[in-house]
Amino acid sequence: MEMAEFLIRGGKKIKGEIEVRGAKNSALKILPASILFANPIGITNLPLIEDVFRMLELLKALGIRVEKPNGRSLKLGGSEVKIGHLRSDIAERFRASIVLAGPLLAIGKTVTFPHPGGCVIGKRPIDIFLDGWRSMGAKIRSNKSSYTIEAKRLVGSQFIFRKVSVTATETLMLTAVLAHGKTVLKNAAMEPEISSLAKFLNKNGAKIKGAGTSTVEIIGTGGKLLRGGKTFQVIPDRIEAGDFLILGAALKSRLRVIKCNPEHLEAIITMLRAGGANIKSGHDWVEIRPGRALSGLDVTTREYPGFVTDLQAPFTVLMTQAMGDSMIFETVFDGRLNYVEDLVRMGANVTILDPHRVLVHGPTKLHGREIESPDLRAGLAFIIAAMVAEGNSVVKNIYQIDRGYEKIEERLQKIGADIRRVG
Ligand code: EPZ
């Protein structure tokens, strides 16, 4: 059981600059891609977070040579993969472990892995991945504890996603690059992390077209490893950047978010401006300044370029501080509004309409409390709530937060937050 926790004293304004790290959800796809190459690859701007450490452990357990990170840079791959078997004790701890199954299947013709786990929302189905592999000629066996995927010969296919899925799009891309012939993925996800992954693979010898649109075409090498040898710079984490803008808005403070890509932040910036926020941006920064009192807004989470589900919880916290009613509609995940009960205990006035919709009546004062992070994004939302609240809060189960945010307390302290890690 996780013992460390954050102690937060709320009610303080913040100011200054805060730096965004490399994107967790990009790094977690680039690392497994490294086994597809004949030569080692380099990665820079790697976020030093728990999920990245877990992925590196999985790679090492497969015999992949991983150099110790030098700051945020790392070299890996170009070595032979030992076994097509993901270590279950590690893979069960985070959902993105399944991404590694794609390239492993492509190389080793067989892969065994446990049902991927993680936080409360991490244990979601993997049926779409399985359908995708089946369409390329794979056979699937499963029992209580694991799945085994086998394909003597992987053949490119036409695959239509029944439901848009980010990691399934990426994982199937990572399988198809070594398959025989052409794969066409339709109704594919369009997140910036996907175009970035394709760019990186193409730079290292892959042939992928259309990534970032809903149709992705991949010409497979027919089993031959990709060349590799090049270095990849992880794109800035757009979720972290969005969290910080929301924090600035919630505390009515002036905050400059630096080392981010404003192009990836259009949905959140548009939403904040619609509520009255005063936002300026440049090439790689966005600044929020105290403006008029924020008004309530309705938000529906969607696939990119819509409003991202990962900012839903922080945004709901913000809406407790806005004037009027806000309807929050979570359409991407089940169970991603459960944290709301804790917000209510902190003083928020929220009507739960159904498992996917809540109505926030603002503004309300929040009061410090002891709260436990159910997943990393709700965990970060609790940090924001605690910083807005009067009095002291304890945020528990912070492994969930460390999974995706690098030393968040140190970066928040620098802009004036009263937050400490204990235990
Ligand atoms: C990615 O998850 C991100 N994770 C998530 O970030 C993010 O919230 C999500 O995309 C949506 O943007 C990573 O990139 C590692 P999905 P992913 O498959 O790909 C259902 C964070 O906090 N589904 O697009 O796993 C699924 O249950 C994380 O950083 C199936 O039914 O999400 C969900 O309802 C959390 N069957 C919907 O699709 C499947 O086989 C979309 O999920 C696969 C998914």
Side-chain angles (χ1 to χ4, degrees), residues 209-226:
K209 271 200 329 210
T213 74
S214 63
T215 303
V216 184
E217 280 187 24
I218 306 129
I219 311 279
T221 61
K224 213 171 128 247
L225 287 180
L226 299 172

Side-chain angles (χ1 to χ4, degrees), residues 24-25 28-29 95-96 121 124-129 163-168 170 191 308-310 332-333 336 376-377:
K24 166 176 91 74
N25 290 343
L28 288 175
K29 323 301 165 58
R95 167 92 181 168
I121 63 160
R124 46 196 186 267
I126 61 165
D127 52 327
I128 299 171
F129 295 75
K163 193 168 190 181
V164 180
S165 165
V166 179
T167 32
E170 294 163 325
E191 271 63 8
V308 63
T309 166
D310 294 336
V332 179
F333 288 118
R336 217 177 197 185
L376 79 157
R377 305 303 176 189

Side-chain angles (χ1 to χ4, degrees), residues 42 107 389:
I107 289 173

Side-chain angles (χ1 to χ4, degrees), residues 58-76:
L58 276 182
L59 287 165
K60 283 184 192 156
L62 289 166
I64 311 297
R65 205 171 326 117
V66 181
E67 274 178 25
K68 205 171 160 334
N70 172 12
R72 298 173 200 293
S73 302
L74 184 78
K75 254 196 154 175
L76 81 166

Side-chain angles (χ1 to χ4, degrees), residues 142-162:
S142 66
N143 58 34
K144 278 202 305 299
S145 59
S146 67
Y147 298 85
T148 297
I149 324 289
E150 246 169 354
K152 298 234 155 44
R153 190 181 153 89
L154 277 169
V155 189
S157 72
Q158 288 257 354
F159 184 71
I160 300 165
F161 288 92
R162 283 181 279 123

Side-chain angles (χ1 to χ4, degrees), residues 27 30-31 34 41-46 72-76 200 230-234:
I30 297 298
L31 290 168
S34 68
I41 56 150
I43 303 181
T44 61
N45 200 30
L46 188 70
R72 298 173 200 293
S73 302
L74 184 78
K75 254 196 154 175
L76 81 166
F200 168 68
K230 295 280 202 285
T231 293
F232 175 80
Q233 182 178 12
V234 180

Side-chain angles (χ1 to χ4, degrees), residues 108-418:
K109 315 249 186 298
T110 171
V111 55
T112 299
F113 58 91
H115 193 89
C119 57
V120 287
I121 63 160
K123 295 182 186 78
R124 46 196 186 267
I126 61 165
D127 52 327
I128 299 171
F129 295 75
L130 302 181
D131 284 352
W133 285 321
R134 263 189 215 109
S135 79
M136 297 182 191
K139 295 263 177 304
I140 292 154
R141 282 180 288 132
S142 66
N143 58 34
K144 278 202 305 299
S145 59
S146 67
Y147 298 85
T148 297
I149 324 289
E150 246 169 354
K152 298 234 155 44
R153 190 181 153 89
L154 277 169
V155 189
S157 72
Q158 288 257 354
F159 184 71
I160 300 165
F161 288 92
R162 283 181 279 123
K163 193 168 190 181
V164 180
S165 165
V166 179
T167 32
T169 301
E170 294 163 325
T171 304
L172 294 180
M173 274 167 53
L174 292 174
T175 309
V177 282
L178 298 198
H180 293 265
K182 176 159 124 183
T183 299
V184 182
L185 304 175
K186 290 192 183 163
N187 195 24
M190 307 193 285
E191 271 63 8
E193 291 75 19
I194 299 177
S195 359
S196 176
L197 175 64
K199 231 193 219 160
F200 168 68
L201 290 168
N202 285 344
K203 203 166 140 188
N204 282 290
K207 292 205 176 81
I208 303 173
K209 271 200 329 210
T213 74
S214 63
T215 303
V216 184
E217 280 187 24
I218 306 129
I219 311 279
T221 61
K224 213 171 128 247
L225 287 180
L226 299 172
R227 189 176 61 234
K230 295 280 202 285
T231 293
F232 175 80
Q233 182 178 12
V234 180
I235 58 173
D237 198 307
R238 63 197 163 92
I239 310 303
E240 201 174 85
D243 290 327
F244 296 153
L245 291 176
I246 290 171
L247 176 69
L251 290 171
K252 301 177 184 67
S253 297
R254 181 168 177 158
L255 184 66
R256 184 180 276 235
V257 181
I258 59 172
K259 294 203 179 170
C260 62
N261 183 345
E263 272 177 33
H264 297 164
L265 298 169
E266 285 167 352
I268 180 67
I269 291 175
T270 304
M271 193 59 91
L272 290 170
R273 279 191 180 138
N278 179 1
I279 297 177
K280 298 247 169 345
S281 65
H283 164 66
D284 62 353
W285 57 269
V286 182
E287 186 171 290
I288 184 152
R289 300 174 187 177
R292 63 176 162 89
L294 215 60
S295 49
L297 292 163
D298 293 345
V299 60
T300 301
T301 63
R302 287 268 177 244
E303 296 85 13
Y304 193 82
F307 190 97
V308 63
T309 166
D310 294 336
L311 289 178
Q312 180 261 106
F315 196 80
T316 301
V317 171
L318 177 63
M319 288 301 99
T320 68
Q321 303 307 300
M323 200 82 78
D325 285 357
S326 307
M327 165 90 80
I328 314 292
F329 188 6
E330 171 59 60
T331 71
V332 179
F333 288 118
D334 294 329
R336 217 177 197 185
L337 281 167
N338 294 343
Y339 69 89
V340 163
E341 285 165 28
D342 279 308
L343 271 191
V344 170
R345 273 179 224 120
M346 292 179 81
N349 183 356
V350 183
T351 310
I352 299 176
L353 301 175
D354 60 50
H356 288 270
R357 289 181 312 156
V358 298
L359 200 55
V360 182
H361 316 280
T364 46
K365 276 213 160 70
L366 300 180
H367 310 283
R369 280 202 72 109
E370 198 174 291
I371 31 191
E372 192 165 319
S373 317
D375 68 71
L376 79 157
R377 305 303 176 189
L380 202 279
F382 284 159
I383 292 183
I384 297 176
M387 285 173 68
V388 170
E390 279 176 0
N392 297 324
S393 295
V394 184
V395 178
K396 300 189 149 194
N397 194 23
I398 63 176
Y399 175 78
Q400 290 301 333
I401 298 173
D402 291 335
R403 286 180 51 193
Y405 295 94
E406 183 184 318
K407 298 204 174 118
I408 190 69
E409 74 281 17
E410 291 180 13
R411 284 185 289 155
L412 292 175
Q413 283 158 5
K414 281 198 194 129
I415 53 170
D418 190 340

